[in-house]
Amino acid sequence: MTDRPDPAPQDPLEDELRRLLHDRATVEPAALDGVRATYGRLPPRRRAPLALLARAAAVLVGLGIGVVALAQLPAGPATPPTTPRLQEPSAFEGDPRRALCDSPFAIYAFELPRLADFRAYYQGEGFPTDDVPALIVVWDGRTAFDRMGREFVLPPGHYNACIVAGSPGDPAAWRRIDVSDADLTALLPGPGLIGDPARYADDPRFARCAGPQAEVLGAFEMQHARDYRLHVPAMGRSPELEVDDPAFVVIYRGRNPLSRPGVWPDPLSDPARRDVCVLVGADVAAATLNVYPGVDITGLVATLPDSSGSAPAPSTASSPAVTGTPGPATPEPAPAWTGDLAGQLDCDGPVRTIGGETGDVTEELIGPTPADLAEYLTRTNFDALPGRLELAEHEAHWVRYVHLHDDRLKTVVIATDTSPRSLGPWAIVGLRSCDPAEYDPEVGLAGVYHGVWHDAAGNPVPTELIHEITGAGHCGWDSATLMRYEGIQFIRDPEGVLADMQVAPYLADTDLPETAVDTGLRDGERHLWRSSDGRYVFVVTSDHVEGWPRAVRDFGCT
Amino acid sequence: MERACGPPERVGPVNDTDSEPIRPVRPLIPVEAAIDPAHAEPLGPAALIAAARRGDRDAFGRLVEPELATALGACQVLTRSHADAADAVQDALLSAWRGLDSLRDPLAFRAWFRRHVVRAAIRITKRRPRVVELAMDLPAPAGELERTVERRLLARGFDRLSADDRVLLTLRHLWDLPVAEAAALLAIPQGTVKSRTSAAMERLRAAYDAETRR
């Protein structure tokens, strides 16, 4: 009996492919050691009923019930999970575990007495938990580095949690995972994370924000109001705060007393959102009062410089310490090529609605260098961009990437490191594009979008008519493919993750009905047919027919 | 003659009494874990699986250790990321550990474990969107694997293939799996393996040609 492959004729390309694959499969000893460490951290194979109860409780917490609720639930035979104390990463300087998770994007860190408790903040599977202590370092920004110095990028709304299992003297397993905003919100705010409102009990600024009458989560000062998005990075842009005046911030735990009942949504319905008061001006009596309902406080990282002192006087208090590296305070004038992006394009059809002109785009952080744009664009909401962008312009603080087909400009992307929001520090600030059907067919599409379809004559078809995307991973749909054809969604669902969303079952291997109609659309060897009753499209290849059912309704993953 | 397993070999200098060998500092696998202290003979797969099913992590480690480098290497190919590859193998270890009761034939452990590895790699690969390639005059990264221009072009062509194509080509040309084993691993007919492998190779050829024309 042999274990060799079936004999095949010699093919130089196959030989070269074999050499390439073996090169790429070369394993570094350190990487192997990291994986080996998993052995000793595998969970017990038989779980006690109480442990299962704790796990269920953790999932509930992950769904938004909250850390406080978890602490009140029976949590298994060991000590119940406790709310971790968030700290500056520098608090763990000298801890070997901290070194394993070193990153310029580390924003805070916390210790857990039992790694198993991390499930309270992470619903994902795959991390072997145990009764060992752990250090968790959370990285902000889209780009981070693993312990081997390689860069990786997260989708918007996600952070990295770098987890080191073991005690400071014996760090063992190491792993990074993605955690979402919502997971982190369960951690925010922890004791001492933001200003203790008691410190400001007699402060007239606190009184103007109705602090004494409110249940307040925290309060802090800003030397300049324009720094507000350094402290509350997910807060929407607010022109009235783009001033140099000092400001005082109060974040309410519940509804703020200044709101009119019934007008604003209940802030407690979303754990990531809180009402916020920002008092702008040095003169308390004349300061401008701004109250913002339902502000997304995800990423709030303001801390008091001295947590043990008495309440500072308004005129002498220093600004809260903020992690991250603020961008340049005074942006330089933008080059001329950052303007009129749509006018720069040479499209056959209309300019797509994605993105916007420079300054109109909600700034998206991409990382410490312009090159980070590459991976960032694979995960962004700026969908269906070309798979290759050329660096066309690069000045000190601005870059312009383009995509050309037959020397005609089809996509332009502007990024800068002068964005006031950039903790990162480079951010996309402008993006316009033609339809992907106009891209160079050789480069393919980036991100979750699949390739462009063609009509029977071989002409590319606009994505408005038909496109396919991979299902969103964070909704557990990554095994599915969603096709939108003539405005209707069809689903390829081999693992049944969207079974409830289909008007009929997905057919992995079927016969093409005699009544099916050829749409004339082609994607390589794939031909698209549709059923006469509209319930299916059929993706037909030379040896295979799949039936993709129509979705019961339009849906998406947010 | 090499011995795959047995009492600890002497490593480095011996102590004054020459009564006990000195072990390497922090061996990759604890020497104790590589030896069954009761018998001083290696356990067979059936015994290791039985021990692992009872919750013996060391036994599980000994089961998967011969497969680990191969698994990690394949995951590097499939995920195109060292970090994701490590994640995939850890996921595979965990799912295999949890699913040991479903393994019927101890002698089929390797194929069974490889299924976990491939599934974990596919899951991570499909969760990660394809990478945009930027044309920039950046220095080549350290540890550049492609030694020639042709190799680089082929690598780019390979990277442009779908995850399913990469899996098939990896099984056939990295792991050298026969059609029957690849079919069993992917739970698809042998004929489908043949046709899809052929189609994947053609797509690679086309992608490679496109790269050379660029």
Side-chain angles (χ1 to χ4, degrees):
Chain A
M1 181 176 159
T2 177
D3 194 35
R4 305 310 306 163
D6 303 331
Q10 290 297 313
D11 178 341
L13 192 67
E14 283 190 11
D15 292 342
E16 190 61 28
L17 172 63
R18 189 168 279 112
R19 284 190 285 271
L20 168 71
L21 296 183
H22 280 89
D23 275 352
R24 286 190 165 188
T26 302
V27 171
E28 296 181 17
L32 209 50
D33 287 349
V35 175
R36 281 193 182 103
T38 306
Y39 300 163
R41 307 293 173 191
L42 292 166
R45 293 202 69 242
R46 301 181 192 283
R47 294 176 179 278
L50 281 175
L52 291 175
L53 181 58
R55 183 180 173 80
V59 170
L60 286 175
V61 169
L63 290 172
I65 302 300
V67 173
V68 174
L70 176 71
Q72 296 167 350
L73 288 169
T79 54
T82 54
T83 304
R85 176 182 169 81
L86 292 169
Q87 300 185 62
E88 297 276 356
S90 59
F92 297 93
E93 210 64 57
D95 187 326
R97 299 174 301 177
R98 167 78 175 87
L100 285 173
C101 289
D102 201 16
S103 163
F105 298 99
I107 55 173
Y108 50 83
F110 59 94
E111 277 184 301
L112 290 174
R114 297 169 62 240
L115 178 55
D117 295 346
F118 189 68
R119 284 180 174 157
Y121 315 106
Y122 174 57
Q123 299 176 53
E125 290 289 338
F127 192 80
T129 56
D130 213 335
D131 283 340
V132 296
L135 177 73
I136 290 94
V137 179
V138 177
W139 297 339
D140 194 7
R142 302 291 180 250
T143 303
F145 303 89
D146 66 16
R147 59 178 171 174
M148 295 171 198
R150 299 184 186 89
E151 295 181 10
F152 52 89
V153 181
L154 291 174
H158 282 240
Y159 297 75
N160 257 291
C162 175
I163 304 167
V164 182
S167 62
D170 184 25
W174 175 99
R175 191 167 186 193
R176 66 167 177 82
I177 60 168
D178 298 352
V179 291
S180 70
D181 287 354
D183 295 327
L184 291 180
T185 302
L187 294 173
L188 289 173
L193 175 68
I194 59 175
D196 180 358
R199 293 165 58 91
Y200 297 98
D202 300 325
D203 192 307
R205 299 171 299 178
F206 193 61
R208 280 210 63 191
C209 283
Q213 293 86 46
E215 190 180 358
V216 173
L217 205 54
F220 60 89
E221 298 158 88
M222 297 187 292
Q223 286 182 333
H224 307 291
R226 57 177 158 77
D227 292 339
Y228 65 104
R229 295 219 291 187
L230 297 179
H231 298 271
V232 191
M235 184 173 176
R237 189 174 286 284
S238 305
E240 65 276 13
L241 300 182
E242 302 284 355
V243 294
D244 289 339
D245 295 331
F248 181 77
V249 180
V250 171
I251 298 175
Y252 304 97
R253 187 182 300 276
R255 182 177 295 281
N256 80 76
L258 304 173
S259 69
R260 287 178 293 164
V263 175
W264 288 345
D266 181 1
L268 296 181
S269 63
D270 181 347
R273 294 184 179 276
R274 290 289 181 269
D275 290 358
V276 174
C277 173
V278 183
L279 192 65
V280 179
D283 180 345
V284 177
T288 305
L289 184 69
N290 304 278
V291 181
Y292 303 92
V295 172
D296 186 346
I297 63 167
T298 302
L300 178 69
V301 286
T303 55
L304 284 175
D306 175 12
S307 59
S308 60
S310 57
S315 59
T316 57
S318 58
S319 180
V322 179
T323 57
T325 306
T330 307
E332 295 181 358
W337 42 261
T338 62
D340 189 18
L341 303 184
Q344 297 178 24
L345 297 176
D346 186 4
C347 303
D348 296 322
V351 174
R352 300 186 69 202
T353 55
I354 63 169
E357 294 294 319
T358 300
D360 293 343
V361 171
T362 300
E363 296 154 18
E364 297 290 348
L365 309 181
I366 59 175
T369 73
D372 295 314
L373 186 65
E375 285 218 28
Y376 172 76
L377 287 177
T378 69
R379 304 165 199 283
T380 178
N381 293 324
F382 296 138
D383 50 15
L385 292 179
R388 183 181 177 88
L389 293 169
E390 308 282 349
L391 181 61
E393 311 279 355
H394 188 178
E395 293 191 6
H397 299 291
W398 295 86
V399 292
R400 174 175 174 263
Y401 283 97
V402 299
H403 171 68
L404 297 158
H405 183 207
D406 291 339
D407 295 327
R408 298 171 67 192
L409 185 60
K410 299 298 182 183
T411 301
V412 56
V413 180
I414 304 294
T416 181
D417 69 348
T418 64
S419 163
R421 186 184 169 187
S422 292
L423 299 172
W426 282 83
I428 295 170
V429 292
L431 183 153
R432 300 312 298 265
S433 181
C434 307
D435 189 276
E438 300 185 34
Y439 297 165
D440 181 347
E442 296 291 333
V443 304
L445 302 183
V448 297
Y449 270 66
H450 298 199
V452 171
W453 285 74
H454 294 71
D455 61 21
N459 301 310
V461 176
T463 52
E464 295 294 322
L465 175 66
I466 182 171
H467 63 253
E468 290 171 88
I469 61 172
T470 300
H474 63 282
C475 284
W477 302 343
D478 47 349
S479 63
T481 301
L482 309 178
M483 173 188 287
R484 180 169 288 276
Y485 169 55
E486 292 187 335
I488 299 172
Q489 271 189 329
F490 294 90
I491 307 170
R492 181 182 191 273
D493 190 16
E495 295 184 9
V497 295
L498 287 168
D500 294 341
M501 300 302 296
Q502 304 164 11
V503 297
Y506 162 72
L507 305 173
D509 195 355
T510 187
D511 295 322
L512 188 63
E514 290 185 359
T515 56
V517 178
D518 187 356
T519 66
L521 297 174
R522 308 284 184 264
D523 175 33
E525 68 161 352
R526 301 195 305 160
H527 291 202
L528 190 72
W529 293 60
R530 60 179 170 80
S531 67
S532 55
D533 61 3
R535 288 161 58 86
Y536 280 98
V537 291
F538 297 99
V539 177
V540 181
T541 63
S542 58
D543 64 345
H544 198 66
V545 177
E546 288 186 10
W548 299 20
R550 197 183 73 214
V552 294
R553 62 177 181 275
D554 277 356
F555 66 96
C557 174
T558 60
Chain B
M1 189 173 77
E2 283 187 27
R3 43 194 310 173
C5 207
E9 298 285 338
R10 293 187 177 189
V11 178
V14 295
N15 59 18
D16 289 338
T17 61
D18 198 18
S19 60
E20 188 178 356
I22 297 175
R23 292 173 180 154
V25 176
R26 293 187 70 85
L28 298 182
I29 307 177
V31 173
E32 299 88 337
I35 305 297
D36 182 336
H39 302 90
E41 290 291 338
L43 292 175
L48 287 174
I49 289 168
R53 282 176 173 157
R54 291 192 299 270
D56 185 336
R57 297 179 177 91
D58 289 339
F60 182 74
R62 290 155 67 183
L63 269 172
V64 299
E65 178 64 23
E67 297 299 320
L68 208 58
T70 305
L72 187 57
C75 287
Q76 287 176 182
V77 171
L78 293 173
T79 66
R80 295 172 291 178
S81 157
H82 287 71
D84 285 347
D87 284 357
V89 176
Q90 290 195 12
D91 287 351
L93 288 170
L94 188 64
S95 64
W97 170 253
R98 286 176 168 161
L100 273 173
D101 292 336
S102 69
L103 174 62
R104 296 188 187 91
D105 179 5
L107 296 178
F109 177 81
R110 187 178 75 162
W112 178 83
F113 178 65
R114 283 182 169 188
R115 268 200 292 279
H116 286 272
V117 171
V118 170
R119 284 176 189 163
I122 290 175
R123 198 161 46 241
I124 284 183
T125 301
K126 292 191 173 177
R127 196 165 59 216
R128 304 283 188 198
R130 279 171 285 177
V131 173
V132 175
E133 176 192 333
L134 279 186
M136 295 184 63
D137 292 329
L138 298 175
E144 178 67 65
L145 295 179
E146 292 74 28
R147 291 189 294 270
T148 65
V149 173
E150 290 75 15
R151 178 74 63 85
R152 187 173 302 180
L153 296 177
L154 180 62
R156 284 161 58 164
F158 182 79
D159 289 344
R160 288 171 58 181
L161 295 179
S162 69
D164 291 339
D165 283 352
R166 293 202 307 276
V167 167
L168 272 169
L169 295 180
T170 300
L171 295 184
R172 298 282 285 139
H173 297 300
L174 176 67
W175 281 358
D176 287 343
L177 289 189
V179 168
E181 284 190 29
L185 194 149
L186 297 173
I188 58 177
Q190 292 188 34
T192 305
V193 169
K194 288 179 180 174
S195 61
R196 289 186 182 175
T197 304
S198 173
M201 204 61 209
E202 285 310 306
R203 281 189 282 273
L204 176 63
R205 203 179 305 279
Y208 174 70
D209 289 343
E211 291 292 340
T212 58
R213 289 196 305 270
R214 191 188 289 273

